[in-house]
Amino acid sequence: MTAVLECRNLEAGYGAGSVVRGVSLSLEGGNVLGVLGPNGAGKTTMLMAMAGLIPLTGGEVLLDGNALPNGRPSKANSAGLVLVPDDRSLFMTLTVRENLEVARTKSRPPAESMVDLFPALGTRWNLLAGSLSGGEQQMLAVARAVIQQPRVLLIDEMSMGLAPVIVESLIPLVRRVAEETGAVVVLVEQHVRLALEVSDQAIVLVHGEVVLSGTGQQLRDDPAALEAAYLGTQPEDQ
């Protein structure tokens, strides 16, 4: 079976420096990849490179077996790759409905269809995005991405600025989105336990390199290896 998303020896950075080094991934539809790692590890840079927002300095990104043009975000988006950035990038002076409408075309489902996946938005339909709570804004940002019917959904720091109790209710939506849409979801997240609970596969990035990988279950079951990956030590040193 051809992978929906594949990265081959991905290299990316800013100026002359490499921030992401030699990252390779292969994911089938309906799978969630959790991307973990300390601050400054290159997680956001990796997502931006995959989305074409910064050019690759090496390697390639393939969607359904086809290489995406390097550094061309509009091409990546039209091919089916959608990014939810950590700042959400909502139109704060538009309503919930209007934020969804601007992301859809005639071939895409109606805005109201998003209420099935995100029922809380149904009671906020005509409110301005700027008047929503942080959790509601994050839900709207994901819904606006899902209405585009992505083959690959990239979510950067879903929990950014949110209270833990809100994060507990939001992150499980990632699993439901993957299962109900068949999209690959790549989730960059600092809440390690919650991310691993919804991830089929997971990687830990440190200094732009994958230092640990496995299933979400494997990483949950080996906290010593996970801690060592973050700290740059060996499990037996702990």
Side-chain angles (χ1 to χ4, degrees):
M1 182 179 295
T2 302
V4 170
L5 174 66
E6 190 174 0
C7 296
R8 297 176 180 170
N9 297 314
L10 199 68
E11 305 268 348
Y14 307 93
S18 291
V19 177
V20 177
R21 305 176 183 88
V23 174
S24 294
L25 308 167
S26 182
L27 296 162
E28 295 180 0
N31 283 341
V32 177
L33 173 70
V35 181
L36 312 174
N39 289 334
K43 303 183 298 296
T44 293
T45 299
M46 186 186 82
L47 291 194
M48 293 179 67
M50 291 165 66
L53 291 167
I54 60 173
L56 303 179
T57 56
E60 58 183 351
V61 178
L62 297 91
L63 196 59
D64 292 316
N66 300 308
L68 296 177
N70 188 10
R72 299 286 299 278
S74 61
K75 294 292 186 181
N77 183 260
S78 62
L81 193 150
V82 180
L83 170 68
V84 180
D86 59 5
D87 66 359
R88 302 166 193 156
S89 294
L90 296 171
F91 296 103
M92 295 300 183
T93 58
L94 298 183
T95 66
V96 168
R97 176 195 290 274
E98 289 167 340
N99 267 277
L100 294 173
E101 289 288 354
V102 297
R104 63 178 297 270
T105 62
K106 289 182 179 179
S107 63
R108 290 169 177 165
E112 290 80 3
S113 66
M114 291 299 100
V115 176
D116 293 335
L117 267 174
F118 309 96
L121 295 181
T123 62
R124 301 290 187 266
W125 209 238
N126 295 311
L127 296 181
L128 299 181
S131 70
L132 302 180
S133 69
E136 290 166 344
Q137 288 182 2
Q138 186 61 271
M139 193 179 301
L140 176 57
V142 176
R144 191 178 62 179
V146 171
I147 204 171
Q148 298 176 55
Q149 298 180 308
R151 295 287 288 145
V152 176
L153 178 60
L154 310 176
I155 304 178
D156 193 10
E157 297 288 5
M158 194 171 189
S159 63
M160 179 74 74
L162 301 180
V165 66
I166 302 300
V167 178
E168 291 268 1
S169 64
L170 273 179
I171 288 186
L173 285 173
V174 172
R175 176 80 263 157
R176 188 178 174 195
V177 167
E179 291 175 351
E180 295 196 14
T181 69
V184 167
V185 180
V186 180
L187 175 68
V188 165
E189 185 51 60
Q190 290 288 356
H191 284 258
V192 174
R193 176 183 62 83
L194 292 174
L196 291 178
E197 285 178 357
V198 302
S199 297
D200 299 289
Q201 302 290 322
I203 62 173
V204 178
L205 277 186
V206 176
H207 301 305
E209 298 180 351
V210 177
V211 298
L212 183 65
S213 64
T215 67
Q217 183 69 54
Q218 287 170 336
L219 268 63
R220 289 203 305 273
D221 290 345
D222 197 349
L226 191 59
E227 180 180 353
Y230 269 75
L231 296 177
T233 59
Q234 296 297 321
E236 57 267 29
D237 295 337
Q238 305 305 303

